[in-house]
Amino acid sequence: MGRRRLYLVLMTVCLTLFVLAWAVVSRFSVLAAVVMSAVAAVIPPVAAITANSRREP
């Protein structure tokens, strides 16, 4: 998988986690929504590091 595609996938997962956490999951469990948001908050730095890595696809 290319670096750009991996970045896109990671950021899509991040956005999806944020939206699902506060639109759906928070109605059932606020703790689960907070955990999902914490996981989603870690993804953008990982995506940026991955996109800027020097390894060849």
Side-chain angles (χ1 to χ4, degrees), residues 4-54:
R4 286 186 179 182
R5 184 175 299 241
L6 183 58
Y7 178 81
L8 180 64
V9 167
L10 286 172
M11 293 308 287
T12 303
V13 168
C14 176
L15 184 61
T16 303
L17 280 174
F18 272 124
V19 170
L20 285 177
W22 295 109
V24 178
V25 177
S26 66
R27 295 180 185 197
F28 302 106
S29 173
V30 174
L31 179 63
V34 169
V35 170
M36 286 174 69
S37 294
V39 170
V42 173
I43 293 174
V46 171
I49 291 169
T50 302
N52 293 319
S53 67
R54 294 220 180 252

